[in-house]
Amino acid sequence: GAGAGAGAGAGVGAGAGAGAGACAGSYLLEPFTFSSMRLRGGEEIQQLFEDAVSTILDRWTALSLAITNGWGGQEGESRKNELHKYICKKFVEEQEIDADELMQELNEFLLEQFHTDAQDDSCAQVAAHITLLATQLREGVVDEALRLTRMAATSNLRACKEVQEEEHMETCSSKFWDELGSETRAAWEELGWDEPAWNGDAEEPPSARRRWCQLSPLEQTAATRLGFDEKSWDEDKDGAD
C-alpha cells in the first residue's frame, strides 16, 4: 500500500492517471518567493497562503468523504497534511505555477492514496482556486486569503439550528452541500446558497450579511423553515447589502 509519509509525493509521479480529462486554465507566473513578501503588521504572505490552502483542502468534499469513510485506511488526515505541505512547498520553491499540472497531481493523489476517482471536476476546481490564490498573494491582493482564513475559524453558517422530519437533529454547518436533506437544501437555495458557496469555493450570498429586516418575505420564510427567528438570524450580522 501507499505510505502516508509519501502522501503528496505519490501524486507527483509519472502519468496523470484517470480523471485528468477536465482541465483548468494554466497560470504561468514569473519566479517569486513568498517569504520576501509581507503584510502590514509583520504577518508573512507565506503563512497566509498556508492557512488559506488548509481551508481549501478541509472543504474539498471528495477528499473529506474519502477520509471520513476510511478509503485510505487510518492515515487519512496525515496524508492530507502531507498534501498540504507539498502544495505549500511547491508554490514557494517553483518558478512556475501550472493549474493543469496541479490538477493532475490532485487526481493522482486521490487515486493512489484513497483509491478514489473524483469525477465531479473538483480536482480542477481546487487546483484553479489554489493557483488563483497564489497569484493574488503574489500581487499583494489578500482579500480571498483572508476570507478563507476567517472561514477556518468560524463556519460559513452562523447560527444553523436543528430541523425537523428527515433533517431532524441535523447540524448544517457540519455537512457538505450534497449531504444536506432535500428540504434543507431547498431552503438554503431560497436564501441564495449553492454548492460552491456552501463548500467555500465561491462568495456567500448577500443574505448571509443581511439582518432579518433586510430579508425578503420569501427569504424570511426559508430562514424560518431552517429554525431561525429574528434574534438568532441577526447574530453577527453587519447589515450589509
Side-chain angles (χ1 to χ4, degrees):
V12 191
C23 294
S26 296
Y27 296 77
L28 302 179
L29 305 181
E30 298 176 359
F32 67 98
T33 303
F34 276 119
S35 59
S36 65
M37 303 170 65
R38 293 178 179 273
L39 292 171
R40 292 181 180 179
E43 183 178 12
E44 294 184 355
I45 287 286
Q46 180 177 340
Q47 185 61 56
L48 188 57
F49 177 76
E50 291 176 0
D51 292 343
V53 169
S54 180
T55 302
I56 292 173
L57 295 181
D58 285 344
R59 302 186 72 83
W60 182 9
T61 304
L63 178 58
S64 295
L65 288 176
I67 294 173
T68 300
N69 292 321
W71 296 337
Q74 302 298 316
E75 303 297 327
E77 283 293 337
S78 65
R79 294 181 183 187
K80 182 178 74 171
N81 292 338
E82 289 299 321
L83 175 63
H84 176 264
K85 292 177 183 178
Y86 169 73
I87 291 172
C88 294
K89 182 179 180 181
K90 178 182 180 72
F91 286 130
V92 169
E93 296 183 352
E94 291 191 4
Q95 295 184 354
E96 291 183 344
I97 296 178
D98 189 333
D100 290 344
E101 178 182 302
L102 180 58
M103 178 199 68
Q104 293 177 347
E105 292 171 345
L106 293 175
N107 268 312
E108 292 174 1
F109 173 78
L110 287 180
L111 282 169
E112 297 182 18
Q113 300 300 314
F114 293 97
H115 315 293
T116 302
D117 184 7
Q119 299 178 347
D120 57 358
D121 200 35
S122 63
C123 290
Q125 295 171 14
V126 170
H129 197 174
I130 292 173
T131 305
L132 177 61
L133 175 69
T135 302
Q136 291 178 340
L137 286 174
R138 175 182 173 271
E139 295 172 350
V141 179
V142 300
D143 302 62
E144 175 66 2
L146 291 174
R147 184 185 75 86
L148 289 167
T149 55
R150 286 195 299 268
M151 188 180 295
T154 60
S155 171
N156 65 322
L157 305 174
R158 292 181 173 86
C160 187
K161 288 187 174 182
E162 298 168 350
V163 294
Q164 298 178 351
E165 299 178 0
E166 290 183 320
E167 286 74 47
H168 183 62
M169 299 299 290
E170 175 181 66
T171 303
C172 295
S173 59
S174 67
K175 293 182 177 292
F176 292 97
W177 182 259
D178 56 7
E179 298 175 306
L180 296 175
S182 58
E183 292 185 10
T184 299
R185 191 163 56 242
W188 285 114
E189 287 174 343
E190 293 285 358
L191 289 163
W193 290 88
D194 56 20
E195 185 169 8
W198 184 275
N199 291 340
D201 297 323
E203 291 187 7
E204 296 177 344
S207 67
R209 300 182 297 278
R210 291 175 179 162
R211 302 184 70 81
W212 184 266
C213 63
Q214 296 174 304
L215 297 176
S216 70
L218 185 63
E219 289 173 331
Q220 288 182 356
T221 299
T224 300
R225 295 206 312 269
L226 291 165
F228 290 100
D229 56 21
E230 183 172 1
K231 181 179 179 181
S232 61
W233 180 267
D234 283 347
E235 291 179 0
D236 300 325
K237 295 294 191 302
D238 57 18
D241 290 331

